[in-house]
Structures are given as structure tokens and as C-alpha cells.
């Protein structure tokens, strides 16, 4: 158990819908990262938050948005869903600035039908 | 641009044998970090080992060791005494240099390792 929690574990929805994925980082970790793992694109970085502020952005679509709340949990919002958004979405957390691993949550598997 | 390359889509190894999974990277930064993660069929990402670009010794964690060759820009994972439970996808990843003000990871495409009895 990495200490990072993600809900829900599985999500099945239809095209055009909107979903919210939730992540709680490890206690004390200020940084939260979102990654998408798909067959087409592999594992790619979406966005990072540090202590409530956006720190870095990757290949995140405009239909996707995220935020980190004062209690440090984060939510990834995916809207106008397309079939190609079906993927495993990981949240990871770390202590910024230290040379150690990022701790990954168990992931949310999103299926868009 | 930073890039991680894993050229072995799949590898087979017999139980109790050692296996090397290849990883090469490309970066212009002097300070960076290299990671290996294991992803079993259940899907979670499990951290295995870390190597910093300034570390002079190769990292080791139990049966895992990282063969770091800085001049060749390679960071191969060596698993000794393979076990059936080692069957999984293995990802090499790189943390971009500190100049980018982020610890985001860039991943390779992965190598699927299958251990047979």
C-alpha cells in the first residue's frame, strides 16, 4: 500500500459525459501528479499540483481540468468524454525537491462506451 | 527534449536466472533522476529503484540493481534470481532536471517480463 488513495477504482460512462476522479496523497506530501496510461500513448504526465497551485502541465487536453484543495486532495475532471479517453488514470504524490520516488495510487480505470 | 527508450517489448527468463532490462535516456540536464517501476497485471505501479545522476555507485535494492552508465546514457535494470512473481511490465522513468521546477516523470514504453519455471 503506497498510502495514495484513488476513487473510484473503476468508472464506466458514455461519450459526452463528465466524470471526476479523486486522489488523496500520502500524508505530508504536497505534490500531486496525474498520469494517463493508454494503449496508444503509453504512460504520460498530465498535470502537477504543489500545495494547491498548478506547478507543471503536460499533454492535458482542454476538456480535462484538475485542482488541488486546501486539504491537499486533488480531483481530475474529464468532460465531453470520447472513446479515446478510456485509460487508466494514476495519481502520484511525492515530497517535492527530494530525490526519491513518487508514490502511485492504485489508479482509476475509465471506460468510455 | 527528454526521452526514455526501452527497446525490448518483451523478455523471457527462467526462474532463478538473472535478467537485464534495457533503458536509455536522453537529456541535456546535468542533474536528473532515473527510476524503475513494476506494473503487475493488477495494474498498480510499484517503485523498485532510483539512481541519481550524481550518484557514483550503482543503486541496489534487494534483488534489483541498476547498471548506470552515464556516458552511454543507459540505466539498465538487473533482476537477480528471478521469481515467478517478477512477471510484469517494467517501466523506466526519468525525472526532469531541477531547472524545470517540477519532479514530473517521463516514462518509457515498458518491457513485459515473463518468468517461466
Amino acid at each position: 500500500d503506497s498510502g495514495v488513495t484513488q476513487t473510484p477504482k473503476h468508472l464506466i460512462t458514455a461519450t459526452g459525459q463528465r466524470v471526476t476522479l479523486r486522489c488523496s496523497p500520502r500524508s505530508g506530501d504536497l505534490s500531486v501528479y496525474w498520469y494517463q496510461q493508454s494503449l496508444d500513448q503509453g504512460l504520460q504526465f498530465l498535470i502537477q499540483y504543489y500545495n494547491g497551485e498548478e506547478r507543471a502541465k503536460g499533454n492535458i487536453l482542454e476538456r480535462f481540468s484538475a485542482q488541488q484543495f486546501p486539504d491537499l486532495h486533488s480531483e481530475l475532471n474529464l468532460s465531453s468524454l470520447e472513446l479515446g479517453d478510456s485509460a487508466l488514470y494514476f495519481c502520484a504524490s511525492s515530497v517535492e525537491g527530494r530525490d526519491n520516488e513518487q508514490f502511485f495510487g492504485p489508479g482509476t480505470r475509465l471506460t468510455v462506451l | 527534449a527528454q526521452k526514455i527508450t526501452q527497446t525490448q517489448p518483451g523478455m523471457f527468463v527462467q526462474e532463478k536466472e538473472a535478467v537485464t532490462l534495457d533503458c536509455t535516456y536522453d537529456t541535456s540536464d546535468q542533474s536528473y533522476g532515473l527510476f524503475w517501476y513494476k506494473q503487475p497485471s493488477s495494474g498498480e505501479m510499484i517503485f523498485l529503484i532510483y539512481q541519481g545522476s550524481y550518484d557514483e555507485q550503482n543503486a541496489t535494492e534487494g534483488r534489483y540493481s541498476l547498471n548506470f552508465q552515464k556516458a552511454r546514457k543507459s540505466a539498465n535494470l538487473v533482476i537477480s534470481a528471478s521469481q515467478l512473481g517478477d512477471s510484469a511490465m517494467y517501466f523506466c522513468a526519468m525525472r526532469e532536471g531541477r531547472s524545470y521546477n517540477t519532479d514530473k516523470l517521463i516514462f518509457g514504453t515498458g518491457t513485459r517480463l515473463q518468468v517461466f519455471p
Side-chain angles (χ1 to χ4, degrees), chain B residues 42-117:
Chain B
S42 52
E44 71 266 32
M45 294 289 285
I46 302 167
F47 166 77
L48 296 178
I49 198 166
Y50 166 82
Q51 179 85 42
S53 58
Y54 290 118
D55 295 340
E56 293 187 354
Q57 291 195 324
N58 287 341
T60 59
E61 291 283 351
R63 295 186 299 110
Y64 304 107
S65 60
L66 200 152
N67 184 1
F68 181 46
Q69 298 189 42
K70 197 169 182 176
R72 292 187 177 185
K73 293 190 175 178
S74 75
N76 298 339
L77 177 70
V78 181
I79 305 175
S80 63
S82 297
Q83 301 172 355
L84 295 178
D86 293 335
S87 294
M89 279 289 285
Y90 288 80
F91 290 96
C92 180
M94 179 169 62
R95 171 183 52 74
E96 289 189 327
R98 295 276 179 234
S99 59
Y100 291 89
N101 197 33
T102 173
D103 282 349
K104 73 179 189 187
L105 297 179
I106 300 162
F107 285 88
T109 52
T111 296
R112 182 170 297 282
L113 176 67
Q114 294 191 54
V115 182
F116 59 93

Side-chain angles (χ1 to χ4, degrees), chain A residues 15-37:
Chain A
T15 54
Q17 295 298 305
R18 172 189 169 94
V19 297
T20 297
L21 313 184
R22 183 188 167 105
C23 167
S24 292
R26 288 190 325 150
S27 177
D29 285 357
L30 299 180
S31 272
V32 169
Y33 310 78
W34 287 96
Y35 295 90
Q36 179 196 57
Q37 185 177 28

